[in-house]
Amino acid sequence: MIRRRVTVLGSTGSVGSSTLELMDQAEAAGTGAFEVEALTGGANIARLVEQARRWKPKLAVTADPARLDELRQALAGTGVEAAAGEGAVIEAAARPVDWVMAAIVGAAGLRSAWAAADTGATLALANKESLVCCGPALLERVRRAGGSVIPVDSEHSAIFQVFPHHAPHQVRKLVLTASGGPFRGMPRESLADITPEQAVAHPNWSMGAKISVDSATMANKGLEAIEAAYLFDMPADRIDVVVHPESIIHSLVEYVDGSTLAQLGPPDMKTPIACALAWPERIAWPAPRLDLPALGRLTFEAPDEAQFPALGLARQALRAGGSAPIVFNAANEVAALAFLDRRLGFLNIAAVVADTLSRVTASGVDSGSRNACDAALAVDAQARREAESIVRGLAAAA
């Protein structure tokens, strides 16, 4: 039986909620036993309260200070301490546990992941920005503390499971798979009038709005290439992307002897979460089963970077190095959210990213510095200001 003392950062979001649901299923199956130290959420107080009443953590935190009284009243008599604000989230992340799920979306999750990295816990990393903005420094911080990082993105989890960690020199190439999103095969001119509702309707995965937009633009695959470069110490020219609409093969590792190993499974985020939760063991839960005869065939195609330029922009940022990946991520987040707010057209998301990359100088972030997180966030803030200025300019010109 797997036993873990855990903290879930971002428990009310898609990945955080799936993590707690998986823990519930594992306990019901008699394959897991979990003690929850802390839960942190955003504005969804009702869900945070429901989770806190079920798991009885020592601490429940909302990131919104204005909701503290509401949270306290809802948890009165439960024995669960309530807190609010960024400082409380970071304090929750720094508490000693066996395992931390870092699932706060966006750059807001970076400081809490940075705090958790110093505890010596296993860090299950679902927050892309932690790696994209501060990857080498974060990984070194985890190593110094005696902990480990296990990626939760399905693609990086797939690579993690078949990667020869004892002999990385045996790898020739990493291959990330992409579904192609909801607009695969559409002519580029047809994308000009895409609405947020269309962009968040992913054909295979159930995800939050922002990451669904990233999938529709393929910016997510660019971010994943950057993450893979840091996680597996792999140069940009040895990381490929292939479009695989069925989302059954989650990624592949090509070895120097010509062998290629892949991890397969139905598209369900609980599978990589389960891997991270139990590793190096495996945990039984009511997982969906892979029925290859029912699938019949698996298909593949090269990504169209002319149609989806965000992927090429991410590769450009990775090759440039320094803080260029931070700039790419910040500009993309600003542009994606502006699109969701209907302030920016779909095709202009990549345009904002490209313009921001050209305007913000990419400087180095010292991976050995304990202030690397602050330095990365300073670059992030600069890039966001520039991207927001570009968005406003496009809106005024429209």
Side-chain angles (χ1 to χ4, degrees), residues 254-271:
E254 180 183 322
Y255 283 73
V256 294
D257 64 358
S259 299
T260 298
L261 301 187
Q263 186 265 342
L264 291 75
D268 190 317
M269 274 305 299
K270 285 182 183 175
T271 300

Side-chain angles (χ1 to χ4, degrees), residues 267-354:
D268 190 317
M269 274 305 299
K270 285 182 183 175
T271 300
I273 294 170
C275 174
L277 184 60
W279 192 265
E281 300 181 48
R282 298 281 179 169
I283 192 169
W285 63 284
R289 296 296 185 260
L290 184 59
D291 188 344
L292 289 174
L295 286 167
R297 69 170 68 185
L298 302 177
T299 57
F300 308 90
E301 60 192 60
D304 186 344
E305 291 191 21
Q307 185 185 19
F308 300 105
L311 179 56
L313 290 170
R315 292 186 191 277
Q316 172 189 322
L318 179 56
R319 288 192 296 267
S323 59
I326 304 174
V327 176
F328 172 89
N329 175 74
N332 176 69
E333 187 170 331
V334 167
L337 294 177
F339 166 72
L340 287 169
D341 288 342
R342 305 181 195 277
R343 297 189 294 123
L344 190 70
F346 183 79
L347 289 179
N348 278 334
I349 295 174
V352 169
V353 175

